[in-house]
Amino acid sequence: MGIERRIMIGQHFVCGFEGTGMDDSFIEAVRRYKIGNVILFSRNIASKEQLYKLCFDIQELVQHECGHPALITIDQEGGMVTRLSGDCTNVPSAMAIAATGDEKSAFDAGLLTATELRALGVNVDFAPCLDVNSNPDNPVIGVRSYGDRSEVVSSYGLSMIDGLQSGGVMAVAKHFPGHGDTHLDSHVALPVVEGTKEELAMHLAPFRSAVAGGVMGIMTSHILFPQLEKNNVPATMSRSIITDFLRSELGFKGLIFSDCMEMDAIAKHYGTVKGAVAALKAGVDLVCISHHVCLGCEAVEAVEAALDAGVLSEADLKQSTHNILMAKSMLAEEQRPPLSVVDCPEHRAMNQKLHRQSLTLVQDVPFALGDNPCFVGPKCFRATNVSSDEEALVFAPYMAALLGGSSIVTDENPGNEEIERVGGQTSSSSSVVCATYNGHLHPGQVQLVNSLAKKKPVLCIALRNPYDLALLDARIRSIAAYAYTKPVLAALAKYVQEPFPLEGRLTVSLGGSHA
């Protein structure tokens, strides 16, 4: 196989590796299979200095072996889906940003994020989510969406895109044509969304806006849309959806990325390698194989075979390669800020302001902390495979250490025995400050909070989706905080200590009525 052809094929793959440095298998994959692009996760990042060196090493290797710079990609959305280490600035989630009520917040968050990513050496951000979270029980999107109305998602999403791309980073809007109306997580299942283009118009609207607004990248979803694609393949593998609709009808000229082809929606139903070939045939430019680079190598060989057999069009692939290299050239011309901008005082101050502005008072009931509060809540369990949950950060002891009082760490879905036990343990407390974490999907959390409110003043904080708060007793003061992260807990601690007016507003309907 000619080296030039393999270099061309390698440009279409985005692969990952374990650890904070490239391992031998990944280096060999770049050398032999010419894998031209990389995806980074929390597992690859220990500190800003280490990440800076890692990105330098990646570029040096890929440039030497492939003759072109790498796209170094990351999921840096904000909130619970962040990959950067604690010595970088991690902005609030999409729903929290929209809760500020100011579209400029999204631009600021995007520009801040891009400035730091660019300084570190990352040039592509798989953000923002343009999914309209119309299904409150959606297990994978939730606070990653700006809201449940397409006009809110469009306006804030476009501002975030403008901020990222003004900072010299390619924004990649996801998950086309929309992951907001699913009740399954495509990391572990294959969701189906019924509906014609007309019926799906609300979910498609933000992507239409992004295309018109000049977004450089779009990521596909692993979801079946039977009204858009008759052949029982997900959007990622559908030529009707990718080429006929996204390219031709919507007029998108940028790069199309697949979501990770190792997710169960693809791996279990179609196979990662076969799925990768099918995605390229459908019109996807770059296929993500995030975890096992050996599958990336197999996929390169499968693409070579598909080209030889005429299953894949060589002319189409060459045009796609040309588009990738053009984008790489544009990104390479962007100025790189100094590493000193990462988590600089200005960024820290802006981030604190964004977090504070996002806190949303949902139920305004008098509450006083008193001299002996008890803080109660679950650990930060993994709500979805895409989260970067801070396992060392636990709400109850963290808040008690800052504010005094006692703490109780609960199960993620407390049963009757635990609810009764916690009631006894808080009997001498002046008040209870509770946290829920997707309590609408783990009803024991809500039962516990409502039980405590029968005997004590209770403040409840939703540390992920705000839908939990619709299920609370009317006696409970409640706040939507949108993420279980250190900046969120720091903002909450300041509020609990010396309450200030909460400016945030909900961008989703809670639907249910208070208990």
Side-chain angles (χ1 to χ4, degrees):
M1 180 58 60
I3 191 76
E4 287 301 321
R5 195 188 198 201
R6 185 159 274 191
I7 286 172
M8 175 184 77
I9 293 168
Q11 290 297 316
H12 298 270
F13 287 89
V14 183
C15 295
F17 51 87
E18 294 291 329
T20 53
M22 291 180 289
D23 55 25
D24 290 344
S25 61
F26 186 82
I27 292 168
E28 181 60 20
V30 175
R31 284 183 176 153
R32 189 170 164 200
Y33 291 91
K34 308 303 177 187
I35 302 292
N37 311 286
V38 174
I39 181 166
L40 298 175
F41 290 91
S42 302
R43 67 191 182 205
N44 306 120
I45 302 169
S47 69
K48 58 187 177 185
E49 289 83 8
Q50 170 268 331
L51 178 56
Y52 180 91
K53 183 181 185 309
L54 176 60
C55 289
F56 179 85
D57 292 345
I58 290 168
Q59 289 293 7
E60 193 173 50
L61 175 68
V62 171
Q63 182 80 46
H64 182 264
E65 296 297 332
C66 306
H68 304 283
L71 297 177
I72 301 181
T73 71
I74 198 167
D75 291 294
Q76 187 66 16
E77 296 173 19
M80 295 311 303
V81 183
T82 53
R83 308 300 185 215
L84 297 180
S85 46
D87 56 355
C88 306
T89 310
N90 290 303
V91 300
S93 69
M95 197 176 287
I97 289 289
T100 67
D102 182 2
E103 283 173 34
K104 187 174 180 296
S105 296
F107 179 86
D108 290 344
L111 182 57
L112 186 160
T113 299
T115 303
E116 297 207 358
L117 290 178
R118 189 85 212 172
L120 291 160
V122 178
N123 51 21
V124 177
D125 190 5
F126 290 146
C129 281
L130 294 188
D131 306 298
V132 180
N133 202 65
S134 59
N135 182 352
D137 291 339
N138 191 322
V140 68
I141 303 300
V143 291
R144 300 170 65 198
S145 165
Y146 291 101
D148 58 13
R149 291 181 296 128
S150 58
E151 58 270 26
V152 170
V153 175
S154 295
S155 58
Y156 282 88
L158 206 51
S159 291
M160 176 76 167
I161 289 164
D162 287 346
L164 284 168
Q165 295 185 172
S166 296
V169 166
M170 180 190 296
V172 179
K174 56 192 185 185
H175 306 80
F176 184 82
H179 207 319
D181 192 27
T182 58
H183 67 283
L184 297 174
D185 181 349
S186 49
H187 290 86
V188 294
L190 179 58
V192 181
V193 173
E194 300 288 349
T196 62
K197 277 181 203 168
E198 291 70 35
E199 289 164 338
L200 293 171
M202 175 179 78
H203 296 278
L204 291 167
F207 292 99
R208 289 183 188 275
S209 297
V211 169
V215 70
M216 292 177 72
I218 286 179
M219 179 177 280
T220 64
S221 62
H222 302 329
I223 299 174
L224 294 172
F225 291 87
Q227 301 301 316
L228 307 183
E229 169 55 71
K230 306 297 182 192
N231 292 324
N232 201 43
V233 292
T236 298
M237 296 161 57
S238 164
R239 192 163 180 89
S240 300
I241 293 174
I242 302 303
T243 295
D244 299 343
F245 186 38
L246 178 55
R247 282 280 186 226
S248 300
E249 192 171 323
L250 296 191
F252 180 58
K253 304 280 193 251
L255 297 184
I256 301 173
F257 293 77
S258 79
D259 208 340
C260 178
M261 303 301 285
E262 292 185 74
M263 289 160 61
D264 283 355
I266 300 294
K268 279 192 175 175
H269 295 266
Y270 308 96
T272 295
V273 173
K274 284 184 179 174
V277 175
L280 293 174
K281 188 176 181 184
V284 168
D285 296 296
L286 291 117
V287 172
C288 294
I289 298 178
S290 307
H291 306 291
H292 298 91
V293 73
C294 56
L295 290 172
C297 299
E298 285 180 45
V300 168
E301 291 182 338
V303 170
E304 288 173 346
L307 287 168
D308 289 341
V311 172
L312 274 179
S313 159
E314 190 116 18
D316 285 354
L317 199 69
K318 280 181 178 172
Q319 181 58 52
S320 176
T321 309
H322 172 75
N323 295 341
I324 292 167
L325 296 180
M326 288 286 287
K328 288 186 173 188
S329 295
M330 282 173 62
L331 290 170
E333 288 170 10
E334 293 284 348
Q335 196 170 0
R336 187 165 175 175
L339 190 59
S340 58
V341 304
V342 178
D343 203 34
C344 62
E346 292 83 0
H347 283 188
R348 221 173 300 143
M350 182 187 291
N351 198 36
Q352 285 169 357
K353 184 183 176 191
L354 289 173
H355 277 90
R356 182 170 161 150
Q357 288 176 329
S358 72
L359 295 180
T360 306
L361 182 63
V362 175
Q363 194 156 257
D364 189 3
V365 175
F367 172 82
L369 197 62
D371 58 2
N372 184 30
C374 185
F375 297 90
V376 177
K379 288 182 180 175
C380 187
F381 56 90
R382 190 164 282 270
T384 167
N385 285 5
V386 79
S387 297
S388 295
D389 300 335
E390 298 190 39
E391 289 171 19
L393 184 67
V394 184
F395 168 83
Y398 184 89
M399 296 293 277
L402 288 175
L403 299 167
S406 56
S407 68
I408 301 169
V409 180
T410 64
D411 188 68
E412 64 188 57
N413 197 25
N416 291 334
E417 264 184 50
E418 185 173 9
I419 290 170
E420 200 172 314
R421 188 175 71 250
V422 173
Q425 288 173 301
T426 57
S427 60
S428 61
S429 302
S430 56
S431 66
V432 186
V433 180
C434 294
T436 61
Y437 190 68
N438 278 7
H440 65 300
L441 303 177
H442 300 84
Q445 292 182 31
V446 175
Q447 287 167 27
L448 170 62
V449 177
N450 285 338
S451 167
L452 292 170
K454 291 173 184 173
K455 297 176 183 173
K456 297 284 172 187
V458 170
L459 166 64
C460 181
I461 299 153
L463 290 179
R464 197 168 171 114
N465 293 333
Y467 305 110
D468 308 1
L469 305 181
L471 308 171
L472 296 182
D473 188 297
R475 292 169 285 195
I476 297 169
R477 188 173 185 83
S478 64
I479 294 171
Y482 308 104
Y484 200 136
T485 60
K486 258 185 194 157
V488 163
L489 298 196
L492 286 167
K494 282 182 181 172
Y495 169 78
V496 172
Q497 206 164 24
E498 289 183 41
F500 49 83
L502 297 184
E503 303 168 38
R505 59 191 191 192
L506 290 172
T507 61
V508 291
S509 167
L510 297 191
S513 58
H514 294 281

